[in-house]
Amino acid sequence: MNFFKIIIVIIFFFFSLAANAQDSNSKLINKISKNIRCLVCQGQSIYDSQSDFAISLKLMINKKIEEGYTEEQIYDYLINQYGEWILYDPKFNKNTFFLWLLPILVFLGGGWIVFKKTKFFKL
Amino acid sequence: MKNKTLPISIIIFLAFCFFVFLKGLSNTNNYIPNESLGKKIASFNAKNFFNEQEINSDELFIEKKIYLLNIWASWCVPCRNEHGILMQLSQNDSIKIIGLNYKDNLDNAKKFINEMGNPYSKILRDQDGTISIELGAYGVPETLVIDNNKIILKKFVGPLNNQSLKEIKSLIR
């Protein structure tokens, strides 16, 4: 009887491991899909879209994860195929540095104006 | 004088915004990815349309010819429009046309070929659309011009027309 109990526990253990792996894969697919622009239904991410292109791309991402690609490697692969525009969150490089730095510059500039104009800091 | 500066600057600002948006209207928002141009196509496996046999893409681009890889589907209306041009191109000996049947019902696709004619030297099946993604394509119809080194020379997104026919012919010469 004890032998059966052990077998059942082992089976459940492996099933739960498999389910967990599946779950973390689908989480990663969802995370990546939300950052990928659907090129045929522009304005939507492939996570939101049910177009043929989006469905195939999600399958492709799943396939790449199973092949052992990391999130960054999948982004690099898609940039290589479709260009930087496919990412909603563009990478920091010479073309996008202004985009990334602008909010910081506006914040610092605004802060400087507030600092100069407000009496509070002069006390 | 001071009273007039504010309304004038507001008018100039609004006029500036108006012209920026007006110019924006004339730009098309459709992004056509051209990243794959000049690159070698990834090697892939696909099933043969007629006998379900597995084919590797490396076996396809061997002869010293220009290859057209046409992504099509029987449910795609623009594919019907471009089919005549493909039939015309299939008469040309220096071109080989390979079809990639995209997410299609096999019976419907066979009916399409029987009805419209078969311009393809080989047809492969892309059942889940992932082969098209490997090729950097994003829909149907799309046609890639590939040389025997498997380099993508040109890409036509949407149905082929007389202009694209001329461009393809100029690539052969």
mmCIF file of all heavy atoms in Angstrom, chain A residues 95-122:
data_model
loop_
_atom_site.group_PDB
_atom_site.id
_atom_site.type_symbol
_atom_site.label_atom_id
_atom_site.label_comp_id
_atom_site.label_asym_id
_atom_site.label_seq_id
_atom_site.Cartn_x
_atom_site.Cartn_y
_atom_site.Cartn_z
ATOM 1 N N ASN A 95 19.593 56.272 -31.839
ATOM 2 C CA ASN A 95 18.377 56.810 -32.444
ATOM 3 C C ASN A 95 17.292 57.140 -31.415
ATOM 4 O O ASN A 95 16.407 57.924 -31.673
ATOM 5 C CB ASN A 95 17.786 55.806 -33.437
ATOM 6 C CG ASN A 95 18.698 55.597 -34.621
ATOM 7 O OD1 ASN A 95 19.350 56.536 -35.072
ATOM 8 N ND2 ASN A 95 18.781 54.368 -35.093
ATOM 9 N N THR A 96 17.367 56.459 -30.259
ATOM 10 C CA THR A 96 16.260 56.630 -29.318
ATOM 11 C C THR A 96 16.669 57.353 -28.033
ATOM 12 O O THR A 96 15.833 57.545 -27.164
ATOM 13 C CB THR A 96 15.668 55.257 -28.926
ATOM 14 O OG1 THR A 96 16.713 54.471 -28.376
ATOM 15 C CG2 THR A 96 15.061 54.533 -30.110
ATOM 16 N N PHE A 97 17.963 57.765 -27.929
ATOM 17 C CA PHE A 97 18.395 58.332 -26.651
ATOM 18 C C PHE A 97 17.614 59.588 -26.297
ATOM 19 O O PHE A 97 17.267 59.822 -25.146
ATOM 20 C CB PHE A 97 19.914 58.607 -26.666
ATOM 21 C CG PHE A 97 20.329 59.830 -27.432
ATOM 22 C CD1 PHE A 97 20.537 61.035 -26.771
ATOM 23 C CD2 PHE A 97 20.486 59.785 -28.807
ATOM 24 C CE1 PHE A 97 20.911 62.167 -27.473
ATOM 25 C CE2 PHE A 97 20.850 60.904 -29.510
ATOM 26 C CZ PHE A 97 21.059 62.112 -28.841
ATOM 27 N N PHE A 98 17.241 60.394 -27.338
ATOM 28 C CA PHE A 98 16.528 61.637 -27.092
ATOM 29 C C PHE A 98 15.149 61.342 -26.498
ATOM 30 O O PHE A 98 14.702 61.991 -25.555
ATOM 31 C CB PHE A 98 16.407 62.431 -28.403
ATOM 32 C CG PHE A 98 15.917 63.830 -28.194
ATOM 33 C CD1 PHE A 98 16.659 64.752 -27.470
ATOM 34 C CD2 PHE A 98 14.694 64.224 -28.716
ATOM 35 C CE1 PHE A 98 16.201 66.044 -27.260
ATOM 36 C CE2 PHE A 98 14.225 65.512 -28.513
ATOM 37 C CZ PHE A 98 14.977 66.420 -27.786
ATOM 38 N N LEU A 99 14.518 60.305 -27.049
ATOM 39 C CA LEU A 99 13.198 59.865 -26.583
ATOM 40 C C LEU A 99 13.241 59.500 -25.105
ATOM 41 O O LEU A 99 12.355 59.836 -24.326
ATOM 42 C CB LEU A 99 12.796 58.649 -27.415
ATOM 43 C CG LEU A 99 11.395 58.109 -27.291
ATOM 44 C CD1 LEU A 99 10.426 59.076 -27.937
ATOM 45 C CD2 LEU A 99 11.304 56.760 -27.979
ATOM 46 N N TRP A 100 14.318 58.795 -24.729
ATOM 47 C CA TRP A 100 14.444 58.358 -23.344
ATOM 48 C C TRP A 100 14.850 59.496 -22.416
ATOM 49 O O TRP A 100 14.434 59.540 -21.267
ATOM 50 C CB TRP A 100 15.474 57.226 -23.234
ATOM 51 C CG TRP A 100 14.949 55.904 -23.707
ATOM 52 C CD1 TRP A 100 15.232 55.286 -24.890
ATOM 53 C CD2 TRP A 100 14.040 55.038 -23.029
ATOM 54 N NE1 TRP A 100 14.561 54.106 -24.990
ATOM 55 C CE2 TRP A 100 13.817 53.914 -23.862
ATOM 56 C CE3 TRP A 100 13.385 55.096 -21.798
ATOM 57 C CZ2 TRP A 100 12.974 52.872 -23.506
ATOM 58 C CZ3 TRP A 100 12.551 54.049 -21.448
ATOM 59 C CH2 TRP A 100 12.350 52.964 -22.292
ATOM 60 N N LEU A 101 15.696 60.419 -22.939
ATOM 61 C CA LEU A 101 16.217 61.472 -22.065
ATOM 62 C C LEU A 101 15.278 62.660 -21.940
ATOM 63 O O LEU A 101 15.361 63.411 -20.976
ATOM 64 C CB LEU A 101 17.589 61.938 -22.565
ATOM 65 C CG LEU A 101 18.715 60.906 -22.441
ATOM 66 C CD1 LEU A 101 20.025 61.495 -22.926
ATOM 67 C CD2 LEU A 101 18.876 60.448 -20.989
ATOM 68 N N LEU A 102 14.389 62.846 -22.944
ATOM 69 C CA LEU A 102 13.521 64.023 -22.951
ATOM 70 C C LEU A 102 12.719 64.201 -21.650
ATOM 71 O O LEU A 102 12.744 65.288 -21.073
ATOM 72 C CB LEU A 102 12.593 63.991 -24.174
ATOM 73 C CG LEU A 102 11.843 65.290 -24.438
ATOM 74 C CD1 LEU A 102 12.804 66.407 -24.821
ATOM 75 C CD2 LEU A 102 10.817 65.106 -25.553
ATOM 76 N N PRO A 103 12.040 63.147 -21.147
ATOM 77 C CA PRO A 103 11.280 63.344 -19.906
ATOM 78 C C PRO A 103 12.176 63.799 -18.748
ATOM 79 O O PRO A 103 11.784 64.651 -17.956
ATOM 80 C CB PRO A 103 10.688 61.961 -19.614
ATOM 81 C CG PRO A 103 10.742 61.234 -20.892
ATOM 82 C CD PRO A 103 11.886 61.788 -21.665
ATOM 83 N N ILE A 104 13.393 63.248 -18.693
ATOM 84 C CA ILE A 104 14.308 63.620 -17.599
ATOM 85 C C ILE A 104 14.704 65.086 -17.754
ATOM 86 O O ILE A 104 14.716 65.851 -16.790
ATOM 87 C CB ILE A 104 15.562 62.704 -17.606
ATOM 88 C CG1 ILE A 104 15.120 61.265 -17.397
ATOM 89 C CG2 ILE A 104 16.551 63.112 -16.534
ATOM 90 C CD1 ILE A 104 16.202 60.245 -17.676
ATOM 91 N N LEU A 105 14.994 65.502 -19.019
ATOM 92 C CA LEU A 105 15.380 66.891 -19.270
ATOM 93 C C LEU A 105 14.235 67.838 -18.911
ATOM 94 O O LEU A 105 14.456 68.873 -18.289
ATOM 95 C CB LEU A 105 15.768 67.085 -20.747
ATOM 96 C CG LEU A 105 17.072 66.422 -21.186
ATOM 97 C CD1 LEU A 105 17.299 66.617 -22.678
ATOM 98 C CD2 LEU A 105 18.250 67.004 -20.396
ATOM 99 N N VAL A 106 12.996 67.457 -19.318
ATOM 100 C CA VAL A 106 11.830 68.292 -19.010
ATOM 101 C C VAL A 106 11.660 68.395 -17.497
ATOM 102 O O VAL A 106 11.442 69.472 -16.951
ATOM 103 C CB VAL A 106 10.546 67.709 -19.668
ATOM 104 C CG1 VAL A 106 9.298 68.389 -19.135
ATOM 105 C CG2 VAL A 106 10.608 67.851 -21.184
ATOM 106 N N PHE A 107 11.837 67.274 -16.820
ATOM 107 C CA PHE A 107 11.698 67.258 -15.365
ATOM 108 C C PHE A 107 12.740 68.176 -14.710
ATOM 109 O O PHE A 107 12.423 69.001 -13.863
ATOM 110 C CB PHE A 107 11.868 65.814 -14.869
ATOM 111 C CG PHE A 107 11.800 65.666 -13.378
ATOM 112 C CD1 PHE A 107 10.587 65.745 -12.712
ATOM 113 C CD2 PHE A 107 12.960 65.471 -12.639
ATOM 114 C CE1 PHE A 107 10.531 65.627 -11.336
ATOM 115 C CE2 PHE A 107 12.909 65.352 -11.260
ATOM 116 C CZ PHE A 107 11.691 65.434 -10.606
ATOM 117 N N LEU A 108 13.994 68.062 -15.171
ATOM 118 C CA LEU A 108 15.059 68.878 -14.580
ATOM 119 C C LEU A 108 14.830 70.361 -14.885
ATOM 120 O O LEU A 108 14.986 71.214 -14.015
ATOM 121 C CB LEU A 108 16.428 68.426 -15.098
ATOM 122 C CG LEU A 108 16.894 67.058 -14.599
ATOM 123 C CD1 LEU A 108 18.240 66.685 -15.220
ATOM 124 C CD2 LEU A 108 16.994 67.049 -13.075
ATOM 125 N N GLY A 109 14.430 70.635 -16.167
ATOM 126 C CA GLY A 109 14.173 72.024 -16.583
ATOM 127 C C GLY A 109 13.038 72.620 -15.771
ATOM 128 O O GLY A 109 13.154 73.743 -15.244
ATOM 129 N N GLY A 110 11.967 71.853 -15.611
ATOM 130 C CA GLY A 110 10.812 72.318 -14.830
ATOM 131 C C GLY A 110 11.209 72.568 -13.391
ATOM 132 O O GLY A 110 10.844 73.580 -12.799
ATOM 133 N N GLY A 111 11.995 71.641 -12.848
ATOM 134 C CA GLY A 111 12.471 71.770 -11.476
ATOM 135 C C GLY A 111 13.283 73.037 -11.305
ATOM 136 O O GLY A 111 13.139 73.759 -10.310
ATOM 137 N N TRP A 112 14.120 73.320 -12.296
ATOM 138 C CA TRP A 112 14.978 74.517 -12.247
ATOM 139 C C TRP A 112 14.118 75.786 -12.246
ATOM 140 O O TRP A 112 14.367 76.702 -11.456
ATOM 141 C CB TRP A 112 15.911 74.510 -13.459
ATOM 142 C CG TRP A 112 16.927 75.613 -13.425
ATOM 143 C CD1 TRP A 112 18.042 75.688 -12.647
ATOM 144 C CD2 TRP A 112 16.907 76.806 -14.212
ATOM 145 N NE1 TRP A 112 18.732 76.851 -12.893
ATOM 146 C CE2 TRP A 112 18.048 77.557 -13.857
ATOM 147 C CE3 TRP A 112 16.040 77.314 -15.175
ATOM 148 C CZ2 TRP A 112 18.330 78.789 -14.428
ATOM 149 C CZ3 TRP A 112 16.318 78.527 -15.751
ATOM 150 C CH2 TRP A 112 17.454 79.263 -15.388
ATOM 151 N N ILE A 113 13.067 75.809 -13.102
ATOM 152 C CA ILE A 113 12.172 76.975 -13.156
ATOM 153 C C ILE A 113 11.464 77.150 -11.812
ATOM 154 O O ILE A 113 11.426 78.246 -11.248
ATOM 155 C CB ILE A 113 11.131 76.824 -14.307
ATOM 156 C CG1 ILE A 113 11.837 76.929 -15.657
ATOM 157 C CG2 ILE A 113 10.042 77.897 -14.212
ATOM 158 C CD1 ILE A 113 10.991 76.539 -16.838
ATOM 159 N N VAL A 114 10.971 76.032 -11.266
ATOM 160 C CA VAL A 114 10.289 76.095 -9.961
ATOM 161 C C VAL A 114 11.256 76.618 -8.902
ATOM 162 O O VAL A 114 10.933 77.485 -8.108
ATOM 163 C CB VAL A 114 9.744 74.694 -9.576
ATOM 164 C CG1 VAL A 114 9.271 74.660 -8.135
ATOM 165 C CG2 VAL A 114 8.612 74.286 -10.515
ATOM 166 N N PHE A 115 12.473 76.102 -8.949
ATOM 167 C CA PHE A 115 13.499 76.492 -7.986
ATOM 168 C C PHE A 115 13.785 77.990 -8.053
ATOM 169 O O PHE A 115 13.928 78.681 -7.051
ATOM 170 C CB PHE A 115 14.774 75.695 -8.274
ATOM 171 C CG PHE A 115 15.875 75.925 -7.292
ATOM 172 C CD1 PHE A 115 15.809 75.361 -6.018
ATOM 173 C CD2 PHE A 115 16.972 76.711 -7.624
ATOM 174 C CE1 PHE A 115 16.821 75.582 -5.106
ATOM 175 C CE2 PHE A 115 17.987 76.932 -6.706
ATOM 176 C CZ PHE A 115 17.919 76.360 -5.444
ATOM 177 N N LYS A 116 13.849 78.516 -9.293
ATOM 178 C CA LYS A 116 14.176 79.943 -9.495
ATOM 179 C C LYS A 116 13.007 80.854 -9.135
ATOM 180 O O LYS A 116 13.202 81.956 -8.665
ATOM 181 C CB LYS A 116 14.558 80.175 -10.979
ATOM 182 C CG LYS A 116 15.954 79.716 -11.323
ATOM 183 C CD LYS A 116 16.958 80.781 -10.926
ATOM 184 C CE LYS A 116 18.370 80.200 -11.002
ATOM 185 N NZ LYS A 116 19.335 81.039 -10.292
ATOM 186 N N LYS A 117 11.778 80.390 -9.428
ATOM 187 C CA LYS A 117 10.616 81.275 -9.297
ATOM 188 C C LYS A 117 9.990 81.261 -7.901
ATOM 189 O O LYS A 117 9.353 82.214 -7.508
ATOM 190 C CB LYS A 117 9.532 80.873 -10.328
ATOM 191 C CG LYS A 117 9.954 81.050 -11.760
ATOM 192 C CD LYS A 117 9.584 82.429 -12.269
ATOM 193 C CE LYS A 117 10.141 82.609 -13.668
ATOM 194 N NZ LYS A 117 9.997 83.971 -14.154
ATOM 195 N N THR A 118 10.130 80.131 -7.217
ATOM 196 C CA THR A 118 9.405 80.041 -5.940
ATOM 197 C C THR A 118 10.192 80.702 -4.829
ATOM 198 O O THR A 118 11.412 80.569 -4.741
ATOM 199 C CB THR A 118 9.161 78.566 -5.558
ATOM 200 O OG1 THR A 118 9.185 77.792 -6.726
ATOM 201 C CG2 THR A 118 7.861 78.374 -4.852
ATOM 202 N N LYS A 119 9.436 81.348 -3.976
ATOM 203 C CA LYS A 119 10.078 82.035 -2.853
ATOM 204 C C LYS A 119 10.539 81.037 -1.797
ATOM 205 O O LYS A 119 11.462 81.299 -1.057
ATOM 206 C CB LYS A 119 9.084 83.016 -2.236
ATOM 207 C CG LYS A 119 8.940 84.282 -3.038
ATOM 208 C CD LYS A 119 7.885 85.164 -2.432
ATOM 209 C CE LYS A 119 7.655 86.358 -3.361
ATOM 210 N NZ LYS A 119 6.419 87.041 -3.018
ATOM 211 N N PHE A 120 9.876 79.869 -1.770
ATOM 212 C CA PHE A 120 10.142 78.869 -0.734
ATOM 213 C C PHE A 120 11.634 78.550 -0.612
ATOM 214 O O PHE A 120 12.180 78.458 0.480
ATOM 215 C CB PHE A 120 9.349 77.592 -1.072
ATOM 216 C CG PHE A 120 9.565 76.464 -0.113
ATOM 217 C CD1 PHE A 120 8.968 76.474 1.142
ATOM 218 C CD2 PHE A 120 10.386 75.392 -0.448
ATOM 219 C CE1 PHE A 120 9.175 75.442 2.024
ATOM 220 C CE2 PHE A 120 10.597 74.363 0.437
ATOM 221 C CZ PHE A 120 9.984 74.378 1.676
ATOM 222 N N PHE A 121 12.298 78.441 -1.780
ATOM 223 C CA PHE A 121 13.716 78.063 -1.764
ATOM 224 C C PHE A 121 14.632 79.224 -1.396
ATOM 225 O O PHE A 121 15.790 79.039 -1.126
ATOM 226 C CB PHE A 121 14.126 77.487 -3.120
ATOM 227 C CG PHE A 121 13.457 76.181 -3.419
ATOM 228 C CD1 PHE A 121 12.382 76.127 -4.287
ATOM 229 C CD2 PHE A 121 13.870 75.023 -2.797
ATOM 230 C CE1 PHE A 121 11.748 74.945 -4.552
ATOM 231 C CE2 PHE A 121 13.236 73.817 -3.065
ATOM 232 C CZ PHE A 121 12.173 73.768 -3.928
ATOM 233 N N LYS A 122 14.045 80.446 -1.467
ATOM 234 C CA LYS A 122 14.888 81.617 -1.179
ATOM 235 C C LYS A 122 14.991 81.902 0.308
ATOM 236 O O LYS A 122 15.778 82.710 0.731
ATOM 237 C CB LYS A 122 14.330 82.831 -1.932
ATOM 238 C CG LYS A 122 14.675 82.765 -3.404
ATOM 239 C CD LYS A 122 14.038 83.897 -4.150
ATOM 240 C CE LYS A 122 14.296 83.697 -5.640
ATOM 241 N NZ LYS A 122 13.427 84.556 -6.434
#
